[in-house]
Amino acid sequence: MRTFLGMPGAPAAPASRLRGDQPFPAAAARTLRDTQLRRNLGNATATIREKRRTVVAEVPDWEELRLAGSAIKADVLARLPELLTTFESAATARGATVHWAADAAEACRIVTELVRETGADEVVKVKSMATQEIRLNEALAEAGVRAVETDLAELIVQLGRDEGSHILVPAIHRNRREIRDIFLREMPDVDPALTDEPAALAEAARRHLRSTFLRARVAISGANFAVAETGTLSVVESEGNGRMCLTLPETLITVVGIEKLVPTWQDLEVFLQLLPRSSTGERMNPYTSMWTGVTPGDGPQRVHVVLLDNGRTGVLADPEGRAALHCIRCSACLNVCPVYERVGGHAYGSVYPGPIGAVLSPQLTGITGGGDPNASLPFASSLCGACFDACPVRIDIPSMLVHLRSRATDARRRSGRPPSAEAAGLGALAWILRDPRRLALAQRLSRAGRLLARWQSRRGDPRPRIRRLPGPGAAWTRGRDLPAPPAQTFREWWARSAPDDGSRSAPDDGSRSAPDDRSTP
């Protein structure tokens, strides 16, 4: 089969679950009002952070492992066409059938046709992030096929008719009581006396899924890694459901993003140390499953692999943004992000939430301007850098966010939409700062703010502060105070205080020319 990636590829199909219905600020304002959600998120992310900190501290060469992971991923992207054809040849030689999907629609069509060929009307699923990205469950439902999620958190989300809000723990926004209520309402065979104890909830899910595993003829999986030299696929998980899905059915269909490749079997050594510690805070995954093609008499006898682009080659075409494809979906950046911890995953509108979603989703879909909700995602960050420090493959998310903010601003300008209040304000500030006279005038006019600060300050405040700005400035002071302007500017102070020995700087009005800094002393 001849392989053509078509770089740079088209953006992800509109049908993909990569773009929300509204911009991040509007969605975040809604989720911020959910106090239960914020408590759930705070408790869960704090627990995962502490577990991760403990197990990472045990590894003396952690930074060297991070550098190795980053280098391997960079090598993959530099040689992606070559490695993809190597993987296809190796997998095909071992009895697998490899399919190429340019976008979500093509991937759904391929998988649906493969399931129809088996005559099955039900499939079991594991590692579902890529299939959620392409909305495969909805496509299968339209074809009369019921998809059953088998990861516990994914099952909770599916039974609750909800959407995941975390890469690792999709039901992180639910607490134990809510999960018990979902099980009582949606599981026909559940014990009516079910409690909200974790062990009882896990046992209820196990009993519910057991018969499904045993009757399943078709399984659909994702993959954490795909080894180019051997055609091997790998799934790492903590519950054992993956092992059931990957061994019992007659047919196994794996949908895997083309960026999930690693060049050699030996490269897995690095990632199997980085991933569990960064994701679940474990030293190793309880279940690590690997399969290569078909083994007669053992496991699925029909194995298909769907290599998914869906905008990835478009990301690859951007030298400043392509490192987002290094992501190994560990969720470490979500667990340390102060923004994610407060608003949750639903505010991002994509299957990929948090810091990595803020840089990956806009690139997969393309930033179109004209009110594109994804154009707001790069601004959903304080740029604190915690995500880079936590990332096991050293993705420089803060720098990428700045790059994408510039792209979003350019897209808005090209679309002909009027500038935002923020952009207009920054433009006015740039105009003032370009001229010393305008700056001196603005500094003098700012003293009017001292009257506002004196009026709004509380009795006993050691220093007057502006607590409420009028107009668009109200958004700034809603979460912080603004110090009152000083009684005099630095230039005024210097003019009065500096000795009159020729060392005084240019006067306030900027009329004196600055010295030529190219001259020699």
Side-chain angles (χ1 to χ4, degrees):
M1 177 188 294
R2 183 182 175 187
T3 304
F4 176 63
L5 292 178
M7 294 182 286
S16 304
R17 193 186 149 205
L18 293 169
R19 182 185 276 118
D21 298 328
Q22 54 186 175
F24 179 85
R30 184 184 69 253
T31 57
L32 277 170
R33 292 192 291 269
D34 188 339
T35 56
Q36 182 63 59
L37 170 68
R38 295 180 66 174
R39 281 195 294 271
N40 295 349
L41 287 170
N43 293 336
T45 54
T47 300
I48 297 172
R49 282 198 303 270
E50 181 58 26
K51 288 179 63 180
R52 178 188 179 277
R53 185 194 63 77
T54 301
V55 296
V56 165
E58 298 172 350
V59 184
D61 60 344
W62 181 253
E63 285 306 312
E64 287 75 12
L65 280 171
R66 292 179 74 207
L67 288 166
S70 178
I72 293 169
K73 282 295 188 177
D75 176 54
V76 167
L77 297 187
R79 300 191 292 131
L80 188 56
E82 168 199 337
L83 293 175
L84 284 169
T85 53
T86 299
F87 174 85
E88 180 185 34
S89 298
T92 301
R94 292 295 301 271
T97 303
V98 177
H99 310 261
W100 297 78
D103 56 26
E106 186 172 13
C108 288
R109 177 183 58 76
I110 291 169
V111 175
T112 301
E113 289 178 356
L114 291 174
V115 175
R116 278 174 169 166
E117 288 174 4
T118 69
D121 59 3
E122 182 180 76
V123 299
V124 289
K125 295 181 66 204
V126 62
K127 285 289 172 187
S128 296
M129 186 147 281
T131 61
Q132 289 173 13
E133 174 189 327
I134 64 176
R135 296 189 182 275
L136 178 61
N137 286 9
E138 291 85 344
L140 290 172
E142 290 180 4
V145 178
R146 175 175 175 255
V148 180
E149 301 289 351
T150 66
D151 290 303
L152 177 57
E154 296 285 4
L155 177 65
I156 293 166
V157 169
Q158 184 179 42
L159 293 177
R161 297 174 178 83
D162 199 354
E163 291 188 344
S165 61
H166 192 276
I167 289 175
L168 175 68
V169 195
I172 196 171
H173 56 289
R174 298 288 192 183
N175 59 28
R176 295 174 357 191
R177 177 184 53 78
E178 292 173 313
I179 295 170
R180 180 203 60 195
D181 292 344
I182 290 172
F183 282 7
L184 288 173
R185 185 175 65 247
E186 301 294 335
M187 285 184 178
D189 50 352
V190 72
D191 182 354
L194 178 68
T195 70
D196 64 359
E197 289 300 312
L201 295 173
E203 177 66 12
R206 187 189 73 82
R207 290 180 178 275
H208 175 75
L209 290 172
R210 178 65 57 170
S211 60
T212 308
F213 285 134
L214 294 176
R215 70 172 179 263
R217 295 162 49 199
V218 179
I220 298 174
S221 82
N224 292 100
F225 307 104
V227 183
E229 73 171 352
T230 60
T232 301
L233 293 160
S234 175
V235 161
V236 295
E237 41 102 9
S238 302
E239 302 169 20
N241 61 304
R243 187 66 55 83
M244 302 287 279
C245 289
L246 300 170
T247 56
L248 291 177
E250 302 165 1
T251 300
L252 174 60
I253 305 167
T254 300
V255 180
V256 57
I258 56 176
E259 82 281 12
K260 292 296 186 71
L261 287 177
V262 296
T264 69
W265 183 271
Q266 188 174 4
D267 294 323
L268 285 175
E269 174 192 358
V270 173
F271 296 105
L272 292 180
Q273 294 181 75
L274 290 171
L275 181 57
R277 284 178 165 85
S278 296
S279 57
T280 57
E282 296 170 295
R283 296 177 181 87
M284 64 180 294
N285 290 95
Y287 296 90
T288 299
S289 300
M290 300 182 187
W291 68 101
T292 308
V294 175
T295 301
D298 182 12
Q301 298 302 290
R302 290 183 292 276
V303 174
H304 298 270
V305 183
V306 180
L307 295 172
L308 176 67
D309 184 341
N310 204 37
R312 286 161 174 79
T313 51
V315 181
L316 186 62
D318 183 352
E320 296 184 68
R322 66 170 61 127
L325 296 176
H326 291 190
C327 178
I328 59 174
R329 307 294 191 269
C330 70
S331 77
C333 63
L334 281 70
N335 299 325
V336 299
C337 178
V339 176
Y340 173 85
E341 185 177 2
R342 286 157 179 79
V343 304
H346 294 154
Y348 294 82
S350 168
V351 67
Y352 304 116
I356 188 61
V359 296
L360 183 58
S361 299
Q363 292 192 88
L364 289 174
T365 61
I367 299 176
T368 62
D372 179 3
N374 274 2
S376 66
L377 290 181
F379 299 88
S381 170
S382 65
L383 300 180
C384 67
C387 49
F388 172 71
D389 293 338
C391 178
V393 289
R394 294 175 56 87
I395 301 173
D396 189 354
I397 293 177
S399 295
M400 208 174 299
L401 287 166
V402 174
H403 167 62
L404 292 175
R405 289 179 183 188
S406 176
R407 284 181 52 186
T409 301
D410 291 342
R412 182 186 181 105
R413 187 180 300 116
R414 289 193 302 268
S415 71
R417 298 180 69 209
S420 64
E422 180 184 25
L426 290 174
L429 180 61
W431 179 79
I432 292 171
L433 293 175
R434 279 196 296 265
D435 187 278
R437 296 179 182 84
R438 292 196 288 261
L439 176 59
L441 177 60
Q443 288 175 326
R444 287 195 291 269
L445 293 176
S446 71
R447 290 179 192 144
R450 293 180 61 80
L451 297 175
L452 183 61
R454 194 173 298 119
W455 177 53
Q456 293 184 354
S457 292
R458 300 186 180 97
R459 181 175 298 177
D461 280 354
R463 184 178 178 187
R465 294 181 180 275
I466 299 173
R467 302 185 181 279
R468 295 180 302 281
L469 280 173
W476 174 269
T477 53
R478 190 176 298 126
R480 58 186 69 79
D481 294 338
L482 184 67
Q488 61 180 345
T489 67
F490 174 80
R491 289 185 176 191
E492 291 171 338
W493 174 84
W494 182 257
R496 294 189 180 100
S497 305
D500 192 8
D501 59 0
S503 62
R504 291 186 182 182
S505 63
D508 261 1
D509 61 4
S511 60
R512 183 183 300 175
S513 299
D516 188 346
D517 58 9
R518 293 172 296 177
S519 61
T520 56

